[in-house]
Amino acid sequence: MPSRITLNQRYKAIIGWFAANRPAVQSELHFRNGYELIVSVILSAQCTDKRVNMVTPALFERYPDPESLAAASFDDVLALVRSVSYPNSKARHLIEMARKLVADFHSAIPSDTDSLMSLPGVGRKTANVVASILYDKPVIAVDTHVLRVSNRLGLSHGKTPEKVEADLESHIPVEQRAISHHWLILHGRYTCTARAPKCGECPLTQWCEYYSDSRV
């Protein structure tokens, strides 16, 4: 029973299942380079990847690099990203991010999270996503999906992204941290959904605290 297994056993079983059955998962955002990745991740905050992928082709055609985006007008960028969530702040952040990227980093996407977080519009989650995908850094980005799935499975009881991130990184091997973000986020997006989790389709129920508690 899930209540009788240790935390280490739970991690080993769950991460082991993902490694065996989802060995090649990756981001569902469409991008061709680091510049397109960081723009896409900024746009994806509280917005679906599907919507972002609908917006970015025209955006990247108009602004194919940091230099062109840095020189863009707010109104022009806003017109291209208007359909995403919080378009005004994101349009402003994109331009400011590009300007700082050009001025301070010679248009190259930095590899460390502190430098990434110095860019406008880039918080800890965004920095971790970019660092893990672009540079395979051993960090785990925690968004609402990852937090929810981690809590339900019993991988963490933390209520903040920072606490969940610390718990996950303390138990998941370094070489599996980057891909673990994708395992957890996709599980939350398609199976362990917020309002109606598909427990009947989930292969992880034997190790899941939420499922165990719901059957009591």
Side-chain angles (χ1 to χ4, degrees):
M1 296 291 293
S3 59
R4 297 175 182 173
I5 66 174
T6 67
L7 182 60
N8 286 337
Q9 289 172 330
R10 192 186 307 279
Y11 267 93
K12 184 177 180 179
I14 291 172
I15 298 303
W17 186 91
F18 279 126
N21 294 276
R22 302 286 189 270
V25 296
Q26 56 188 355
S27 174
E28 293 187 320
L29 291 170
H30 298 165
F31 62 93
R32 296 168 294 187
N33 52 52
Y35 161 70
E36 291 188 358
L37 173 62
I38 196 168
V39 168
S40 296
V41 178
I42 289 173
L43 289 173
S44 72
Q46 298 183 335
C47 186
T48 65
D49 287 359
K50 181 179 179 179
R51 169 56 57 184
V52 173
N53 290 336
M54 294 171 65
V55 166
T56 49
L59 181 67
F60 295 146
E61 182 177 4
R62 183 74 175 272
Y63 306 110
D65 49 45
E67 291 83 2
S68 57
L69 184 57
S73 74
F74 171 80
D75 288 340
D76 287 346
V77 175
L78 178 62
L80 291 168
V81 304
R82 191 177 296 278
S83 65
V84 304
S85 58
Y86 307 104
N88 289 59
S89 61
K90 288 180 180 179
R92 184 170 57 254
H93 284 153
L94 288 179
I95 296 170
E96 294 173 351
M97 180 278 295
R99 289 174 178 170
K100 187 173 181 64
L101 196 61
V102 171
D104 294 357
F105 299 98
H106 307 289
S107 299
I109 309 300
S111 61
D112 66 283
T113 54
D114 287 341
S115 294
L116 284 164
M117 289 173 64
S118 74
L119 299 170
V122 178
R124 185 172 185 83
K125 187 208 78 172
T126 297
N128 281 354
V129 170
V130 172
S132 64
I133 293 176
L134 199 59
Y135 298 106
D136 201 31
K137 294 285 187 177
V139 293
I140 299 177
V142 177
D143 67 354
T144 55
H145 292 301
V146 175
L147 192 151
R148 179 179 69 254
V149 170
S150 298
N151 283 174
R152 283 181 177 171
L153 288 174
L155 299 176
S156 172
H157 296 131
K159 300 307 178 186
T160 65
E162 293 78 12
K163 180 61 169 69
V164 173
E165 178 185 338
D167 288 343
L168 294 174
E169 291 187 359
S170 69
H171 289 88
I172 296 176
V174 170
E175 66 275 11
Q176 290 181 309
R177 289 178 189 171
I179 197 172
S180 290
H181 163 74
H182 299 303
W183 286 335
L184 295 171
I185 195 172
L186 293 175
H187 190 67
R189 187 173 292 166
Y190 297 113
T191 303
C192 194
T193 50
R195 295 186 179 181
K198 301 172 184 177
C199 296
E201 304 174 13
C202 181
L204 303 176
T205 51
Q206 62 183 305
W207 306 294
C208 177
E209 283 190 347
Y210 175 88
Y211 182 76
S212 177
D213 292 344
S214 70
R215 291 165 60 85
V216 174

